[in-house]
Amino acid sequence: MSWVLGLFCFADSMSPLFVGSVMRRLCDKEKISREKLAYIADSTSAPVSVLYPFTGWSSYLTSLAVGIGCITVREDAFKLMLKAIPLNFYAILSVTMVLLLSVGIIKDYGPMRKAEKRAIEEREMVRDEVFSLSSTNEKTENSLKERVFLNFIIPTILLLVISIGAFVVIGSVKVLEAVTIVVLLMSVSFLIQGMSLQELNETFVDGIKGAIPALLVLAVAYPLNALSSEMGTANFIINCTSHFLLPAFLPAGIFLICAILSFATGSSWGTFAIAMPLALPMAYNVTNNEVTLLVVSCFAAVAGGGVFGDHCSPVSDTTIMSSMGAGADHIDHVKTQIPYALTVAVITFFMYLIIGFAAI
């Protein structure tokens, strides 16, 4: 169920908050560790966002491709992005691996196995003496009855309808506006259902209190990202590796560079902005300025490599929000998730090697 919710909530940083907050108590009841919940929420946030053509991620990637090679208008860039979706192996495999782990086809391994064993045998969803990024009282009671359809399913559907509807009508996904409308409507609904104004106010205050630890971590993470940018980390990595990239190795090499870059900086969009204007021209030079399998795979490699760091770097906002939503220790979440992310990354690397040689 956590995996399914992650597929339908495609608002990047909001997705792990939504999935973690909704599923936390149910996962505790079923003796699923907070680290596992954080992993599920994290690996269905950025990977899902980059696969859907109506998200801000897709719009941003599309805009970066305009003016490079034979792509002169946004419509052509959008077609390139659509062709690249099936070749975004990292995002597809990340989402698939979450499903396979969730249903037990793939057994947990590494630090996650220890976390799950602790949750099942010792009934401890988090380790003792850890710092949880969620400071809310999870047993807060209110005067409302548990109306799942009215208070959960309808708001979720409404959020999706407004977001996707905005994309269809005006070509832009208005997630913040959709959330604001849903919050206002649900506030009125809670008052009609019998919640007092004081309880409604306490609910808002608890939500703000719960966000403060994650905001403090983000306040430290963003300066680190800025410092990395000012030091020229991205350009250094690009300059050291670009002359090694032979045509057949372009997709795999670009993916590896973007993965390292996004993990070091914690920024997928920053990685996109730096790597896309460098990766696509190299591919176009090989294909005589035509959109071929090599160009499409390089576009997908940039997108997938950027996602790698966004959902497993300790200084990424999505990683931090996943820890917060699940109520997990941030470092424990990073340590348990990295083996899974690296597994998918290694498979993706070899798949891009195959694509590279097939495209030449």
Side-chain angles (χ1 to χ4, degrees):
M1 188 61 190
S2 302
W3 178 78
V4 171
L5 288 179
L7 293 183
F8 284 98
C9 187
F10 45 82
D12 186 22
S13 297
M14 286 183 56
S15 175
L17 281 177
F18 173 76
V19 174
S21 300
V22 169
M23 298 301 297
R24 190 189 307 160
R25 291 179 63 184
L26 182 59
C27 287
D28 286 353
K29 181 180 178 181
E30 298 299 327
K31 294 185 289 186
I32 298 170
S33 67
R34 296 288 180 83
E35 293 93 329
K36 186 68 168 289
L37 176 58
Y39 163 69
I40 295 172
D42 205 349
S43 295
T44 53
S45 55
V48 168
S49 297
V50 81
L51 289 175
Y52 290 160
F54 46 77
T55 65
W57 288 62
S58 297
S59 297
Y60 184 61
L61 285 166
T62 299
S63 66
L64 292 175
V66 177
I68 302 177
C70 61
I71 303 296
T72 57
V73 295
R74 192 174 181 85
E75 288 73 17
D76 292 337
F78 186 72
K79 292 177 182 178
L80 173 61
M81 187 271 297
L82 290 178
K83 292 179 181 178
I85 290 176
L87 295 178
N88 194 341
F89 301 130
Y90 182 80
I92 294 172
L93 291 177
S94 292
V95 176
T96 303
M97 188 167 184
V98 174
L99 175 62
L100 296 178
L101 285 163
S102 298
V103 299
I105 295 177
I106 297 178
K107 301 299 181 182
D108 288 306
Y109 56 89
M112 186 70 78
R113 183 178 181 181
K114 296 180 180 179
E116 287 293 277
K117 184 178 181 181
R118 181 202 67 227
I120 294 172
E121 296 180 357
E122 303 176 17
R123 295 178 179 268
E124 293 183 0
M125 301 307 110
V126 293
R127 288 190 303 110
D128 292 332
E129 301 179 355
V130 299
F131 176 68
S132 171
L133 288 186
S134 176
S135 63
T136 56
N137 181 5
E138 299 171 18
K139 298 182 179 180
T140 300
E141 300 291 338
N142 57 58
S143 59
L144 294 185
K145 296 180 181 179
E146 292 187 358
R147 298 182 173 94
V148 176
F149 182 78
L150 179 61
N151 294 333
F152 172 62
I153 296 179
I154 288 182
T156 303
I157 294 176
L158 189 61
L159 178 65
L160 295 175
V161 168
I162 296 174
S163 300
I164 299 177
F167 174 78
V168 173
V169 175
I170 63 176
S172 177
V173 181
K174 300 295 183 181
V175 177
L176 180 60
E177 290 79 356
V179 171
T180 303
I181 292 172
V182 171
V183 168
L184 291 175
L185 291 177
M186 290 310 301
S187 297
V188 175
S189 175
F190 287 156
L191 292 174
I192 294 175
Q193 292 178 61
M195 178 182 280
S196 67
L197 191 60
Q198 180 179 353
E199 287 177 321
L200 184 63
N201 181 65
E202 290 175 352
T203 301
F204 278 108
V205 173
D206 285 342
I208 295 172
K209 287 166 57 180
I212 288 176
L215 293 176
L216 292 176
V217 177
L218 283 172
V220 177
Y222 282 127
L224 286 176
N225 293 345
L227 179 61
S228 176
S229 177
E230 290 294 330
M231 291 176 63
T233 303
N235 293 328
F236 174 76
I237 294 174
I238 293 291
N239 291 333
C240 288
T241 55
S242 59
H243 59 282
F244 293 112
L245 296 180
L246 300 176
F249 293 101
L250 270 179
I254 289 170
F255 171 77
L256 180 61
I257 293 170
C258 291
I260 295 173
L261 183 58
S262 61
F263 185 85
T265 62
S267 173
S268 55
W269 285 36
T271 300
F272 298 154
I274 294 167
M276 193 67 79
L278 297 173
L280 288 186
M282 288 191 290
Y284 279 123
N285 286 336
V286 177
T287 63
N288 294 321
N289 212 36
E290 295 180 1
V291 176
T292 64
L293 177 61
L294 185 68
V295 173
V296 175
S297 60
C298 286
F299 183 99
V302 172
V307 167
F308 173 83
D310 188 271
H311 87 107
C312 68
S313 172
V315 295
S316 167
D317 56 349
T318 309
T319 309
I320 294 169
M321 291 302 177
S322 298
S323 302
M324 175 188 168
D329 178 78
H330 182 54
I331 300 303
D332 284 351
H333 167 46
V334 173
K335 290 192 297 185
T336 52
Q337 178 169 250
I338 282 182
Y340 294 159
L342 287 176
T343 299
V344 175
V346 170
I347 296 173
T348 299
F349 177 81
F350 284 105
M351 292 181 73
Y352 279 131
L353 274 180
I354 297 172
I355 289 290
F357 281 97
I360 298 301

